[in-house]
Amino acid sequence: MPLMQTESECGDGQNSWEHCFYIWNLMQHYFRNGISAYMYWNISLDTDSANNRWQWPQNSLISVDQINKTYRYNPEYYLMKHVSHFVKPGAKQLTVEGNNKDILAFVNPDESIIVLTANESTEPKDVKIKINNQLLTAGLEARSINSFELRPKN
């Protein structure tokens, strides 16, 4: 039976990178425990998110300033963009083994392999990821979310 995580935690309205990394960790937890879809709760809210219909501050992918007619993409927008851009409908999650547990990997219907990883630390770090017989070596910037796409060899 397909399982879906249908309501991401709403946060505190600060739309911080700290909460974005918290959501990244939740996503990893839910995917590793069998979900096939992860849905974010608030697509957009007024910049005064305490003014929403629930009357408490919440995070959103986009903050809209209705007075100045402007908007801002928040950190969790970029996380969701990484995942939704690269992981295609019908993708299957791959099992990840090893010491680095900060990775999600999927194989898309076109057989491309998508690796999602983050570096929550304040220092850059190097990672080595072996996928089948391919070795992916990359430097991750500090406080970053990263996506890698490996295309099948023809």
Side-chain angles (χ1 to χ4, degrees), residues 8-26:
S8 188
E9 292 186 25
C10 297
D12 58 5
Q14 298 298 307
N15 294 300
S16 67
W17 278 104
E18 286 73 23
H19 196 268
C20 180
F21 286 119
Y22 175 74
I23 294 298
W24 162 247
N25 285 296
L26 280 180

Side-chain angles (χ1 to χ4, degrees), residues 18-80:
E18 286 73 23
H19 196 268
C20 180
F21 286 119
Y22 175 74
I23 294 298
W24 162 247
N25 285 296
L26 280 180
M27 288 177 79
Q28 291 180 86
H29 169 78
Y30 284 113
F31 275 111
R32 286 190 186 120
N33 285 283
I35 66 164
S36 59
Y38 186 96
M39 294 168 214
Y40 194 87
W41 182 243
N42 294 316
I43 292 174
S44 65
L45 289 174
D46 193 278
T47 50
D48 179 9
S49 71
N51 233 350
N52 64 49
R53 71 189 301 188
W54 300 279
Q55 300 300 306
W56 74 83
Q58 296 182 20
N59 290 353
S60 61
L61 300 179
I62 303 167
S63 293
V64 178
D65 183 334
Q66 295 185 51
I67 295 169
N68 295 311
K69 308 288 187 226
T70 60
Y71 62 92
R72 176 185 73 244
Y73 294 116
N74 295 319
E76 291 165 65
Y77 168 87
Y78 295 102
L79 170 61
M80 297 303 288

Side-chain angles (χ1 to χ4, degrees), residues 82-150:
H82 271 275
V83 177
S84 63
H85 178 79
F86 290 104
V87 180
K88 303 300 181 197
K92 304 290 184 206
Q93 185 180 1
L94 299 173
T95 300
V96 176
E97 298 176 359
N99 295 334
N100 188 348
K101 297 296 183 192
D102 205 14
I103 295 174
L104 286 174
F106 299 87
V107 60
N108 280 325
D110 69 358
E111 297 184 12
S112 62
I113 295 174
I114 305 302
V115 177
L116 306 165
T117 188
N119 178 9
E120 296 182 45
S121 77
T122 57
E123 299 294 324
K125 77 175 183 180
D126 294 328
V127 295
K128 291 181 181 178
I129 303 165
K130 184 178 178 188
I131 300 169
N132 297 327
N133 292 325
Q134 294 183 30
L135 182 63
L136 169 65
T137 303
L140 307 181
E141 295 293 326
R143 309 288 289 159
S144 65
I145 297 168
N146 305 270
S147 304
F148 302 97
E149 181 177 31
L150 299 165

